[in-house]
Amino acid sequence: MKKAMTLALGILTSVGGFFDVGNLATSAQAGASFRFQLIWALLLATILVIFLVEMSGRFSAVSRKAFPEAIRDHFGFGFWLVPFLVLIVVHLLVLATEIGGMSFALQLLTGIRTPWWAIPVGVLVWLFLWRAGFSAIENSTSLLGLVTLSFVVAAFVHRPQLHGILAGAIPTLPSHDGAQYWFLAVSIIGAVIAPYLFYFYSSGAVEDEWDASYVGVNRAVSFMGMSFGSVIAIGALVVAAMVFAPRGIAINDYTQAAVMLTDAFPFWGFMLFAVSMGVACLGAALEVALSLAYSVAQTFGWNWGENLDPRDDSRFCLVYTGAILLASLVIALGVDPLKLTLFTMAINAAVLPFVVFPFLLLMNDRKLLGKNANGFVSNAVVVVIVLVAFVLAIVSVPLAIRGGS
Amino acid sequence: MKLDLFRDILDQQLVDRSGTKMGRVDGIVLEIRDGEPPVVDHLQLGLVVLAARVGRPALRFVEWIRRHVHVRRNAVQVVRWPLVGEIASHHLKIDIDAQETEAFDWEKWLRTHIVEKLMGGSS
C-alpha cells in the first residue's frame, strides 16, 4: 500500500515538478519562432532525462548513497573537483533564473517591476526550506505545479493540426535564422535535463529512505512522470506556435509570453499564466537550492538533511541560504531574466558531459550495484544523447552570442 | 584483513561514536620505521589538506583565507588510527565526540552566530 502511494504521489509530483522557467522560456520562444519544428529537441531531451532520473533513483535505492558522496567515495576528491565546481556554477545560474521567473510572475500580478521582487521572493524560498521538512517541500509545490497542465488544455483548445506536430518530432533543417534555431534546440535540451534534476532526485531518494525494493517504483515514476511532464512543455510550445507564430511575434521578453494563454482562456488566461509560472518556479527554486546544499555537504562530509533541525546541520542550511541570497541579488541588480534563462539552459547542455559521465561510471560499478548496474542500452542512449547535446552546444552557443540571440 | 588505503580509507565519510557526520578523510599519514613495513599513524581532516592535494595555488588560496578568518582552532584535525573503530562501506566510525573537535569549529560558530539568531527571529 505504501509503495502504491509512493508510486501515485511520485508520478503526480514528477509531472507537477517537471515544468520550470527554463521549459517555459525555451518552449515559448521555439513555438513563436519555429512553430512545431523543434518538438524533436524536447522529445530527445525527454528520453535522456527519463534514463538519467531512473538511473539516479536506482543508484540511490540500491547503494543507499546520493551521487556527490558516492562519487567522492569511489573516485576521490581530485576526480570530483571539476564536475563539482561546474555543478555549483550551473546550480547558482538556474536558481537565479527560477527566482527571476517567480519575480516576473509577481510583476504580472502586481505591476511592481521584477527586480523589486527578487529579495522578497528569495526570502519566501528560504523560509520554505528553513521551516518545512523534505516531504512537505517535495509534495506541496509539485502538486500545486499541476496547474501548469493548463498549457496542455490550452493546446487542445487551439486545435492544432496533428500532422504538423508529428512532423516536428523529426529533426529538420531550419528555413531561416539557423543560429537561433540550433541555439534554441540546445536550450530546450538544457532546460529539460538541468543537472539539478537528477542530483536532487538522488539525494531525495536517500531522504525518503528508499531501498532496493523501490527499484520498480522508481522505474515507473521516472518513466511516467517525466513523459507526462514533457507533454506540458510540448503543450506550451504548441500554444506559442498557435498564438504567436501566425502574428509574426518573436518572444524577446517574458511580457510578450504572458499573453499566451489569453486566446484559449480570455478571462483568466493572464492570471493562469502568472500563477503557473510562479508556482513552477517556486518548486524548481526549492529543488535547486536543496540540490546545491546536498552536493556541497556530501562532498565535504558534513551533516545534511532537510528533515534535520537547522541547528544540527548549520553548514548545510547556510549553503542554501547563501545561494538564495546570491541568486536573488543577480535578479535584483536588473539582469534580464529571459536572456539569463536562455543562456543558462544552453550552458546546462554544454556541461552535461562533465556532470553525467562521473555518474555513468558509478552506474556501471557492479561491485556497488550488482545486478542493478547499467546495461548496454542505458549506457549507449545516455552517451549518444549527451554527446549530441554537447556538440550542438559548443557549435551553437558562440554563433548565438555573435548573432546577439 | 587487508585495506586499500586509497579505495577504502582516503575520501571516506567519518562519523563519530554517535553517528554524527564529522567530515571526510582528506589525508592519510604513514609512519615509516626502520626495517619494518610502514603503518598508518593518523588521518587528517581539513580544507588545507584537501587544497594541498589539488595544487599549490589552491593551497595558497586556502592559507590566505585562514590568515584572515580565525574560526577554526587548527587547520588540520588529526584522528589517531587506533580511534578508528569500524570500517564499513558507508563510513569509518571514530571513537570520538565530533562536537568537541576542530572539525566542528565552523559548524558551532555558524550555529551560534547565525543559525540560532535566525531561529530566534523566525520561530
Side-chain angles (χ1 to χ4, degrees):
Chain A
M1 187 62 194
K2 191 187 166 208
K3 293 255 167 61
M5 279 292 289
T6 308
L7 183 65
L9 197 60
I11 293 169
L12 277 178
T13 54
S14 298
V15 174
F18 183 93
F19 200 69
D20 71 350
V21 71
N23 300 119
L24 177 60
T26 54
S27 295
Q29 246 199 352
S33 298
F34 298 99
R35 292 182 58 84
F36 309 133
Q37 209 182 348
L38 277 162
I39 286 178
W40 65 267
L42 262 171
L43 296 178
L44 188 71
T46 303
I47 294 170
L48 180 55
V49 83
I50 289 170
F51 274 89
L52 290 177
V53 167
E54 189 280 326
M55 282 179 202
S56 59
R58 171 158 45 99
F59 178 84
S60 295
V62 175
S63 73
R64 313 293 291 267
K65 287 181 182 179
F67 271 123
E69 57 181 338
I71 294 174
R72 186 164 172 199
D73 277 358
H74 286 259
F75 304 119
F77 186 73
F79 178 90
W80 174 227
L81 182 62
V82 172
F84 174 59
L85 293 176
V86 167
L87 207 60
I88 288 178
V89 173
V90 292
H91 270 78
L92 284 172
L93 284 169
V94 175
L95 186 56
T97 66
E98 306 297 351
I99 287 175
M102 275 179 82
S103 302
F104 177 74
L106 286 163
Q107 175 183 323
L108 288 179
L109 295 173
T110 63
I112 299 169
R113 289 186 58 241
T114 300
W116 292 103
W117 282 112
I119 300 294
V121 160
V123 171
L124 178 71
V125 172
W126 176 80
L127 271 176
F128 251 98
L129 291 173
W130 195 261
R131 309 283 293 200
F134 182 77
S135 299
I137 287 173
E138 189 187 28
N139 299 335
S140 62
T141 56
S142 297
L143 287 174
L144 285 174
L146 290 171
V147 70
T148 54
L149 284 167
S150 53
F151 287 99
V152 181
V153 178
F156 277 104
V157 171
H158 282 289
R159 295 177 182 275
Q161 290 172 319
L162 188 61
H163 65 84
I165 294 174
L166 290 177
I170 299 159
T172 46
L173 291 173
S175 56
H176 61 96
D177 298 313
Q180 197 204 359
Y181 177 86
W182 292 111
F183 179 73
L184 271 175
V186 168
S187 302
I188 286 172
I189 294 171
V192 174
I193 322 165
Y196 82 84
L197 211 62
F198 50 95
Y199 276 86
F200 173 79
Y201 194 79
S202 150
S203 295
V206 176
E207 289 260 36
D208 280 336
E209 299 178 342
W210 282 13
D211 55 30
S213 68
Y214 279 81
V215 168
V217 170
N218 167 60
R219 188 162 295 152
V221 166
S222 47
F223 180 74
M224 293 171 77
M226 296 297 134
S227 303
F228 288 134
S230 105
V231 170
I232 301 175
I234 293 174
L237 187 148
V238 168
V239 173
M242 301 301 288
V243 173
F244 300 123
R247 296 166 181 154
I249 301 171
I251 305 293
N252 294 317
D253 66 58
Y254 281 136
T255 318
Q256 291 167 299
V259 295
M260 67 194 279
L261 292 178
T262 45
D263 277 8
F265 314 113
F267 296 109
W268 35 281
F270 190 74
M271 182 76 84
L272 200 56
F273 178 89
V275 171
S276 297
M277 187 170 184
V279 168
C281 292
L282 172 63
L286 294 171
E287 290 186 3
V288 181
L290 268 184
S291 177
L292 176 64
Y294 286 140
S295 298
V296 174
Q298 290 164 14
T299 296
F300 293 113
W302 305 337
N303 253 2
W304 60 273
E306 184 54 11
N307 293 326
L308 293 178
D309 184 294
R311 276 172 290 228
D312 294 328
D313 54 1
S314 302
R315 287 174 288 189
F316 168 79
C317 294
L318 291 174
V319 168
Y320 67 65
T321 304
I324 291 167
L325 183 65
L326 207 60
S328 302
L329 281 175
V330 170
I331 300 302
L333 288 172
V335 172
D336 181 331
L338 178 63
K339 284 204 171 79
L340 180 70
T341 304
L342 293 173
F343 170 76
T344 301
M345 298 309 131
I347 295 294
N348 272 349
V351 303
L352 272 180
F354 296 99
V355 294
V356 168
F357 284 129
F359 123 78
L360 206 55
L361 286 175
L362 276 181
M363 292 307 304
N364 284 279
D365 188 334
R366 294 206 173 269
K367 272 192 200 147
L368 193 64
L369 297 177
K371 64 182 172 55
N372 289 299
N374 263 10
F376 173 77
V377 175
S378 301
N379 286 331
V381 170
V382 171
V383 169
V384 168
I385 302 181
V386 164
L387 287 180
V388 167
F390 178 69
V391 171
L392 280 178
I394 293 301
V395 174
S396 72
V397 172
L399 279 177
I401 290 171
R402 213 171 54 190
S405 287
Chain B
M1 179 184 171
K2 283 186 179 171
L3 283 174
D4 180 324
L5 291 183
F6 273 88
R7 191 192 59 206
D8 302 324
I9 307 294
L10 190 64
D11 288 311
Q12 299 303 303
Q13 177 75 55
L14 289 168
V15 299
D16 75 353
R17 62 171 80 98
S18 62
T20 303
K21 292 186 173 79
M22 60 177 284
R24 287 178 176 272
V25 180
D26 296 319
I28 303 171
V29 175
L30 302 180
E31 185 190 355
I32 311 288
R33 300 169 300 173
D34 285 341
E36 290 181 66
V39 292
V40 176
D41 185 69
H42 64 267
L43 309 177
Q44 296 177 314
L45 286 82
L47 205 53
V48 170
V49 183
L50 213 47
R53 284 169 59 190
V54 174
R56 198 171 281 276
L59 180 60
R60 273 204 295 266
F61 177 65
V62 172
E63 283 175 339
W64 179 82
I65 292 176
R66 264 195 66 77
R67 276 199 296 278
H68 293 85
V69 186
H70 307 282
V71 171
R72 197 165 157 150
R73 285 167 283 174
N74 294 303
V76 181
Q77 149 110 49
V78 169
V79 175
R80 294 274 155 214
W81 182 248
L83 290 174
V84 178
E86 175 194 326
I87 301 172
S89 63
H90 280 68
H91 59 239
L92 271 66
K93 196 164 196 169
I94 311 295
D95 188 17
I96 213 170
D97 180 1
Q99 301 280 349
E100 302 305 319
T101 66
E102 286 100 335
F104 257 61
D105 284 353
W106 266 108
E107 177 79 21
K108 283 196 287 194
W109 190 89
L110 293 169
R111 185 191 304 151
T112 314
H113 290 84
I114 302 180
V115 170
E116 282 177 351
K117 288 192 172 121
L118 289 170
M119 299 287 283
S122 64
S123 55

